[in-house]
Amino acid sequence: MKPRSFIVWGINYAPELTGIAPYNTALCDHLRAQSHKVRMVTSFAYYPEWRKSAQDRGRWFRTDRMNNVEVHRCWHYVPPKPSALKRMLHEFSFVATSWFRIMMLPRPDVYIVVSPPLLLGFAAWIASLLKRRPFCFHVQDLQPDAAVALGMIRPGRLLRALYALEAIAYKRAALVSGIIPGMTRAFADKGVPEKKIILFPNGIHLPPIEETFGLGAFRRRFHIMPEECLAVYSGNLGVKHGVEILLDAARALQGKSVRIVVCGDGARREILEATARERGLANVLFLPLQGEREYHEMLADADVYLVTQQAGSGALFFPSKLLKGLAYSKAILAVADAQSELTRAAVDGQFARIVSPGDVDGLASALEFMAKNETERLRLGKAGRKYVEQFELKYLLRTFEARVCDFLNGEESGQPSEISLPSVSKSDAATLEQR
């Protein structure tokens, strides 16, 4: 494959550990490993704590080199307590400073622009006009649709403006990619030509099935007894994740042999911790984001992996954290709408028990059932590991790279641009890992 030059443009990147950052980082590392020239234009790290490090505050620009990728960091406003207005200012500030940085850099063969922020699509269109280079618009979150579904924005001028910005990005982008089939269907419904659409799911490195990462270490560290059912939620603690239901279920499970761990950070963390203290929930343990080894030890010791969604968000939002639980053969207990992408995947893969948002008694009963049924946990975990093999990260990255390079080469295959991603066998995944 002919080496190309890429600029990846997005607000999140390493050393951030959750959210979109790991996927942007993996994409850049992969492209660089294939001998492409890669630059990343991003912000100073702030997520999910919504706080920059002391050495980054007040700095306008900085260029780092991470794994031979040039990382150009740009100042942006980070509110300590995000609100709707402050989030808009936060995103606008990054779009403005990063656009200026983009214009100062040599033009690449193609820009890969990661949304959110949605406004980045409009900025990319202007940059592509001036630089005379195409851009691929990669959508991690359908912001306007999700905001409406969660009741965060009411119909009116603001919503019409957001949809107008979205339409411009879709129309002017050379390629439009999304992380779930629901997104690609939404693109088509919004008028994006099929030949421009790519399905590019978030992926995961699959650990060997036999790998245990120090079995028992996490339980010993936090004095969790072997007979306790350990249920773990790990990830962002934001509005759309609906983590509050875990605390409601924990109150119903007091005195039962179930321990819930909430690991992560985000806009709702302080509220969640305060609620747990007020209720005296001794069966809930809050932890910050863990280091790599500690994180793997936590997954190794977990009996159940928890995934929660707010009602109304599931058709447009797929929790990539799910892949981590599946990769480690954990039984999944999910809170999701019946029509959500998560539920569709769970039905297809037969790897989870699903509870409707708001059904506290159902969640508590499901946790108690899981605690008493090791055979069922093992069955679900085995099914999940088989299902997740299709999301092997190197396979997905190679597929996306090939599609973009095909576009750059001007090849006309005569096939629809949306790429179907078949399951990868264990032997195929092993072969990919060795390349």
Side-chain angles (χ1 to χ4, degrees):
M1 193 176 295
K2 178 183 176 181
R4 295 287 188 171
S5 61
F6 293 81
I7 287 182
V8 182
W9 187 1
I11 197 170
N12 301 108
Y13 198 73
E16 294 174 355
L17 298 174
T18 64
I20 298 172
Y23 305 110
N24 289 345
T25 306
L27 175 60
C28 289
D29 288 347
H30 170 80
L31 293 173
R32 185 66 190 88
Q34 305 310 309
S35 300
H36 300 295
K37 175 69 175 178
V38 185
R39 293 183 174 94
M40 178 74 201
V41 176
T42 189
S43 67
F44 290 93
Y46 72 97
Y47 188 83
E49 298 88 353
W50 286 86
R51 182 177 61 254
K52 296 181 188 178
S53 64
Q55 62 266 30
D56 291 340
R57 293 171 196 160
R59 299 196 66 170
W60 282 94
F61 299 102
R62 188 181 74 217
T63 300
D64 302 329
R65 183 167 287 275
M66 304 178 70
N67 291 337
N68 290 321
V69 174
E70 286 184 21
V71 181
H72 299 273
R73 300 192 183 276
C74 309
W75 178 88
H76 69 316
Y77 166 64
V78 180
K81 293 185 177 181
S83 64
L85 177 60
K86 289 179 180 179
R87 281 178 184 268
M88 292 172 63
L89 293 173
H90 158 76
E91 293 188 357
F92 178 79
S93 66
F94 171 73
V95 172
T97 58
S98 62
W99 186 88
F100 178 80
R101 192 73 185 95
I102 284 284
M103 298 309 296
M104 297 297 104
L105 291 172
R107 60 183 183 177
D109 290 319
V110 64
Y111 296 95
I112 299 177
V113 181
V114 183
S115 174
L118 175 62
L119 185 57
L120 216 53
F122 181 83
W125 171 45
I126 302 301
S128 70
L129 284 175
L130 297 175
K131 290 285 191 176
R132 298 183 180 180
R133 287 294 185 266
F135 73 97
C136 171
F137 194 54
H138 180 55
V139 182
Q140 287 275 354
D141 191 346
L142 288 167
Q143 278 188 300
D145 293 349
V148 171
L150 292 171
M152 299 173 68
I153 296 180
R154 295 180 180 179
R157 292 180 180 179
L158 176 58
L159 184 59
R160 289 195 297 271
L162 292 176
Y163 278 126
L165 288 171
E166 182 184 62
I168 290 172
Y170 293 160
K171 182 177 180 179
R172 301 301 179 180
L175 300 168
V176 180
S177 55
I179 62 173
I180 55 175
M183 279 188 179
T184 60
R185 290 192 295 269
F187 296 156
D189 292 342
K190 293 170 186 285
V192 180
E194 187 178 4
K195 65 182 181 180
K196 288 175 54 171
I197 298 173
I198 303 175
L199 177 62
F200 179 31
N202 292 330
I204 189 169
H205 291 293
L206 293 176
I209 293 177
E210 67 276 6
E211 201 161 333
T212 60
F213 294 95
L215 192 62
F218 180 84
R219 286 177 179 266
R220 288 192 296 272
R221 188 179 308 122
F222 293 102
H223 309 290
I224 300 171
M225 301 303 294
E227 61 272 15
E228 287 185 273
C229 178
L230 178 58
V232 170
Y233 175 94
S234 180
N236 187 35
L237 306 178
V239 175
K240 68 182 178 183
H241 299 88
V243 181
E244 287 83 355
I245 193 172
L246 298 182
L247 304 188
D248 296 334
R251 180 161 57 179
L253 289 167
Q254 290 188 97
K256 306 290 186 180
S257 188
V258 176
R259 183 78 68 93
I260 297 174
V261 171
V262 178
C263 175
D265 211 330
R268 302 284 296 173
R269 182 183 174 104
E270 290 184 6
I271 296 173
L272 291 168
E273 287 189 293
T275 300
R277 285 195 300 270
E278 290 171 4
R279 295 179 180 177
L281 299 179
N283 55 347
V284 178
L285 172 64
F286 281 90
L287 295 176
L289 291 172
Q290 300 293 288
E292 183 177 2
R293 181 174 182 83
E294 291 77 13
Y295 173 78
H296 291 312
E297 289 175 347
M298 179 177 69
L299 284 186
D301 279 358
D303 296 303
V304 177
Y305 193 81
L306 299 165
V307 182
T308 61
Q309 290 184 334
Q310 194 74 273
S313 67
L316 307 168
F317 164 62
F318 186 81
S320 297
K321 66 174 72 68
L322 167 70
L323 304 181
K324 298 173 183 177
L326 298 177
Y328 286 88
S329 303
K330 298 302 170 182
I332 306 298
L333 178 53
V335 178
D337 291 324
Q339 68 274 21
S340 68
E341 290 291 329
L342 171 54
T343 298
R344 289 193 182 102
V347 171
D348 183 30
Q350 296 295 303
F351 55 72
R353 289 176 67 93
I354 305 293
V355 176
S356 298
D359 186 1
V360 176
D361 291 340
L363 179 58
S365 296
L367 273 169
E368 193 170 3
F369 173 83
M370 290 282 206
K372 297 176 179 177
N373 290 272
E374 181 181 8
T375 301
E376 177 66 1
R377 297 199 306 266
L378 293 174
R379 184 191 70 78
L380 293 173
K382 184 177 180 180
R385 174 65 191 217
K386 182 178 180 180
Y387 179 84
V388 80
E389 287 178 349
Q390 65 185 297
F391 295 96
E392 203 284 329
L393 185 59
K394 286 192 175 182
Y395 170 69
L396 299 177
L397 291 170
R398 286 179 181 274
T399 304
F400 180 73
E401 175 199 6
R403 179 65 182 89
V404 175
C405 287
D406 281 349
F407 164 77
L408 293 175
N409 293 334
E411 295 178 3
E412 297 291 337
S413 65
Q415 298 296 321
S417 293
E418 182 174 340
I419 298 173
S420 176
L421 296 170
S423 298
V424 180
S425 69
K426 295 177 183 178
S427 59
D428 289 339
T431 300
L432 285 167
E433 188 65 37
Q434 293 167 11
R435 290 178 183 173

